[in-house]
Amino acid sequence: AKLAKVDIMDELADDLNRTLATSRQQLTSIERLLAKPKGLPGPTGESNKLYLEPRGVLVCFADKGVTFEYWTLSIVTALATGNVVVSAVSDLFYDEALEFQKNFLETGAPEGVFQVARLSHLSDLLMDEHLAGVVVDSH
């Protein structure tokens, strides 16, 4: 809710309310999945279970082709499942991402679990030995 009051994000206002509502739904779903693994049918009759577990450091990126909603949901999902997120964003959204980070930290989130980098540093981030994965918008 604090993010909704960020002046620099005014141009994102149309997406913000929908994104916050979707994020709340995503958190509720994650909470259920973390509490009890979800049973999935196997193609040959075996049983499979879906567990949500932290993987480590994830990169979520945003360029002009990534929607604000997708970017936000990727961060919310990654953080809610116990990961650390580095968001690599294009210069077009860098100031908004820093403001998003600042307001996220003001909610009492631990320092360092959500960081912002410029998209121009993506190659270096991808080479980091601690990187567990990358969230990609496939639209």
Side-chain angles (χ1 to χ4, degrees), residues 33-74:
L33 287 171
L34 286 173
K36 180 180 174 190
K38 181 176 182 174
L40 301 171
T44 59
E46 78 275 8
S47 76
N48 295 298
K49 294 192 179 195
L50 173 64
Y51 294 89
L52 293 180
E53 297 179 348
R55 304 296 295 169
V57 178
L58 300 178
V59 169
C60 300
F61 77 89
D63 63 9
K64 64 182 179 179
V66 176
T67 66
F68 175 70
E69 181 174 12
Y70 183 87
W71 178 72
T72 303
L73 286 175
S74 67

Side-chain angles (χ1 to χ4, degrees), residues 95-117:
D95 291 338
E96 289 86 351
L98 287 177
E99 195 66 29
F100 187 96
Q101 177 192 32
K102 177 182 155 226
N103 283 273
F104 174 75
L105 291 172
E106 287 176 0
T107 67
E111 191 81 33
V113 298
F114 174 58
Q115 301 170 38
V116 175

Side-chain angles (χ1 to χ4, degrees), residues 4 9-20 68-69:
M9 298 177 85
D10 280 346
E11 65 189 58
L12 302 172
D14 292 343
D15 292 336
L16 195 53
N17 285 332
R18 183 182 72 249
T19 299
L20 290 173
F68 175 70
E69 181 174 12

